[in-house]
Amino acid sequence: MKKKILFGALFAMASLPAFAQGDVLTLDEIVDATGMKKAEVLLMLGAKSNNHYYLTSEFRVSQEFKKAIKEAGLVLEQRRDESGRLVTVVLRQNHHA
């Protein structure tokens, strides 16, 4: 199950280059800006699951992630990717309209 969530998260992050317009941060930029682990960032931005273990981890990490995003001066925004899926992207606040 853990691999399935990780692959889903990686697939979701792979869609981010479609938004690469300067203001959208890459996975590594988000990790650097927030100081969080890459796995934690993937948990927050990747595919969601109803699995009990996923939900427990997601709940624990979500508060830390939101705080780290705010402290880094970043903004979360939901957009549609090329295939129409709703994905969350992280923007620099000064580029956010």
Side-chain angles (χ1 to χ4, degrees), residues 46-61:
K48 305 299 180 196
S49 171
N50 287 328
N51 179 281
H52 172 72
Y53 297 111
Y54 169 85
L55 293 173
T56 302
S57 295
E58 193 271 341
F59 179 76
R60 180 186 56 80
V61 173

Side-chain angles (χ1 to χ4, degrees), residues 39-91:
E40 293 172 327
V41 174
L42 286 171
L43 179 70
M44 298 312 306
L45 298 178
K48 305 299 180 196
S49 171
N50 287 328
N51 179 281
H52 172 72
Y53 297 111
Y54 169 85
L55 293 173
T56 302
S57 295
E58 193 271 341
F59 179 76
R60 180 186 56 80
V61 173
S62 68
Q63 298 303 316
E64 180 184 346
F65 181 71
K66 290 174 186 173
K67 181 180 177 189
I69 289 291
K70 185 177 181 178
E71 288 175 354
L74 304 174
V75 177
L76 296 175
E77 182 175 296
Q78 289 192 327
R79 296 183 179 178
R80 298 248 178 228
D81 68 5
E82 292 174 342
S83 65
R85 288 174 301 174
L86 197 59
V87 295
T88 301
V89 294
V90 180
L91 307 170

Side-chain angles (χ1 to χ4, degrees), residues 1-7 48-51 53-54:
M1 185 63 185
K2 196 174 193 180
K3 285 183 182 178
K4 185 176 181 179
I5 292 171
L6 181 60
F7 285 123
K48 305 299 180 196
S49 171
N50 287 328
N51 179 281
Y53 297 111
Y54 169 85

